Amino acid sequence: MQKAFGNSVTQSGTSLKTPSRLPGIRIRLEEREEHLSPYAAKSSRSAGRAIPETPSDVRTEYQRDRDRIIHSKAFRRLKHKTQVFIAPLGDHYVTRLTHTLEVSQIARTIARALNLNEDLAEAIALGHDLGHTPFGHIGEDELDKILPDGYRHSQQSLNVVERIEREGTGPQPHMGTQIVRISDAVAYINHDLADAFRAGILSDEDLPGSVAATLGTRHSQRIDTIVCDIIDHSYHVSGINDISGGANGANPEMPLTITMGDEVRTAFMELREFMFDTVYMPNDDSPLGNAARQIIRFLHQYFSERTSEIPPAKLHWEDITRRSRTDDEVVVDYVSGMTDLYAIRIAEKLSPGIAKVFSERLL
């Protein structure tokens, strides 16, 4: 029998009282948010939840969203989902989970420096890739081609938070969304470049000279340059007076955008184009990339014709099968929620030989 302890749950049958000091903690945390930028989202004024619930005594609503994402099964599965390199031969390549953690770190740094809501930025960052397919953007692109209405992992991430995990409405989009979008780009371009060096696809000498001159020659230097530039050119959203006494944050004529300056943006876009030409496109058109696409196509077709074979709740897919609204949704939620290894294993079991290139590589 479950008994409530404050806003948590205990399995014992003993009635426990909430310590008297706890109820004031959330209120104190919400009061702190009032000192943030006038453009910052405040958890006490969020849009609320689809399913009303008693507020936490010790956490704001954005903190609660963050914690629920961390404890979700969808978040846990990110550790076995590809970032760029499929089935890499090494232990130090970026996964979808480590990418998410890097995005969160960058987003929190920017939000904190700009006097915006750090908890909200962290929650959005931790949840931004929950809807990603197996095999990274290759898997997403293939599923997008298959589905009549297309597939976007960003929308599926919202579905995971709002419908599949179904613990609340999830973080509300605000300036935190802009922070996470730009932090995502900063993180993936830089750690994918590091992985390309690690894989021997690129060397330091291959990096365009103009990029190195503007952003730096080392991984940490490039990230620091870009993040500091974003903070500098977005500082007007902080609501804090500049050193000369001008109220930058109170200027209604300045756009409320999180952005880079022209010089750094130009170098960053050159680096992004360089990565697409030398890493992303060649990785897609490879034996592993082609096999990944074949597996996604096969799994979607197979389970579309046999939805009854999608694992029931007892096999721990209840976050997928119990929340989907239609048979088509069940299939998309199930296939997109798979990890790389799970997709490879299931596909090989159902169609022996389809994952041969992975079997030879992983064994």
Side-chain angles (χ1 to χ4, degrees):
M1 178 178 180
Q2 292 184 336
K3 293 290 184 179
F5 173 57
N7 293 307
S8 61
V9 175
T10 177
Q11 297 294 328
S12 72
T14 304
S15 178
L16 299 174
K17 293 183 179 180
T18 301
S20 59
R21 296 184 183 87
L22 296 189
I25 295 176
R26 173 180 53 81
I27 295 174
R28 171 162 51 83
L29 294 174
E30 289 174 347
E31 289 174 347
R32 285 182 182 176
E33 291 183 344
E34 296 303 318
H35 297 285
L36 295 175
S37 166
Y39 308 119
K42 312 298 194 297
S43 58
S44 61
R45 302 174 210 162
S46 71
R49 299 184 182 279
I51 302 175
E53 59 185 355
T54 304
S56 167
D57 285 332
V58 297
R59 296 174 296 170
T60 68
E61 292 305 304
Y62 295 147
Q63 291 171 341
R64 177 182 267 182
D65 284 331
R66 173 203 60 202
D67 296 346
R68 282 175 167 163
I69 289 169
I70 290 174
H71 289 283
S72 70
K73 289 183 288 296
F75 185 77
R76 219 167 295 151
R77 289 194 294 268
L78 295 179
K79 67 180 178 180
H80 291 307
K81 289 195 176 188
T82 287
Q83 171 59 26
V84 171
F85 294 97
I86 303 173
L89 297 178
D91 295 333
H92 302 127
Y93 288 86
V94 175
T95 66
R96 190 62 56 178
L97 178 59
T98 59
H99 162 73
T100 295
L101 296 177
E102 290 188 33
V103 173
S104 176
Q105 178 265 317
I106 293 171
R108 289 178 60 199
T109 297
I110 294 173
R112 189 185 313 120
L114 294 179
N115 203 29
L116 298 174
N117 198 309
E118 185 178 341
D119 293 329
L120 175 59
E122 182 180 23
I124 297 173
L126 292 174
H128 86 283
D129 266 354
L130 293 181
H132 226 300
T133 60
F135 311 121
H137 288 283
I138 292 175
E140 177 178 15
D141 183 64
E142 194 60 32
L143 205 52
D144 183 56
K145 293 177 179 178
I146 294 170
L147 301 177
D149 295 329
Y151 183 89
R152 292 292 181 272
H153 80 270
S154 55
Q155 180 58 52
Q156 184 67 1
S157 295
L158 286 176
N159 293 343
V160 170
V161 173
E162 296 178 354
R163 176 168 51 81
I164 298 176
E165 296 293 346
R166 200 55 181 177
E167 294 290 353
T169 61
Q172 301 297 322
H174 202 271
M175 200 158 292
T177 305
Q178 290 189 50
I179 291 176
V180 171
R181 187 178 295 119
I182 201 167
S183 298
D184 183 27
V186 173
Y188 82 73
I189 288 295
N190 282 284
H191 62 49
D192 292 350
L193 177 62
D195 274 355
F197 290 153
R198 185 172 292 111
I201 295 174
L202 298 174
S203 65
D204 291 333
E205 291 73 27
D206 295 321
L207 193 66
S210 55
V211 171
T214 302
L215 303 183
T217 58
R218 302 191 314 276
H219 178 77
S220 59
Q221 188 178 31
R222 284 187 288 270
I223 292 179
D224 187 65
T225 297
I226 298 170
V227 170
C228 288
D229 186 79
I230 291 169
I231 293 170
D232 186 37
H233 286 85
S234 307
Y235 201 73
H236 57 282
V237 307
S238 69
I240 301 173
N241 292 348
D242 65 18
I243 193 169
S244 64
N248 285 350
N251 187 346
E253 297 180 0
M254 299 190 73
L256 299 179
T257 56
I258 309 299
T259 187
M260 302 175 194
D262 291 340
E263 182 182 9
V264 167
R265 184 191 302 111
T266 298
F268 181 83
M269 295 307 295
E270 183 180 357
L271 176 57
R272 183 177 183 273
E273 184 177 354
F274 170 75
M275 289 296 293
F276 269 89
D277 291 341
T278 60
V279 178
Y280 300 140
M281 299 305 294
N283 185 58
D284 188 339
D285 188 22
S286 67
L288 292 175
N290 292 329
R293 289 182 179 277
Q294 185 180 3
I295 287 174
I296 292 292
R297 287 196 303 271
F298 169 76
L299 290 173
H300 181 269
Q301 180 178 352
Y302 182 91
F303 287 109
S304 292
E305 297 170 354
R306 305 169 182 83
T307 54
S308 61
E309 293 187 27
I310 292 178
K314 66 181 180 180
L315 295 182
H316 309 295
W317 281 93
E318 70 273 16
D319 62 323
I320 300 293
T321 57
R322 186 161 51 91
R323 307 303 184 187
S324 306
R325 296 165 294 196
T326 65
D327 284 349
D328 289 342
E329 215 168 62
V330 169
V331 176
V332 173
D333 289 343
Y334 180 49
V335 174
S336 67
M338 293 180 177
T339 64
D340 294 18
L341 294 178
Y342 186 88
I344 291 170
R345 187 167 66 249
I346 294 298
E348 184 65 23
K349 178 181 178 181
L350 298 174
S351 179
I354 193 172
K356 182 180 179 182
V357 65
F358 293 108
S359 300
E360 293 174 344
R361 185 177 180 85
L362 294 173
L363 294 179

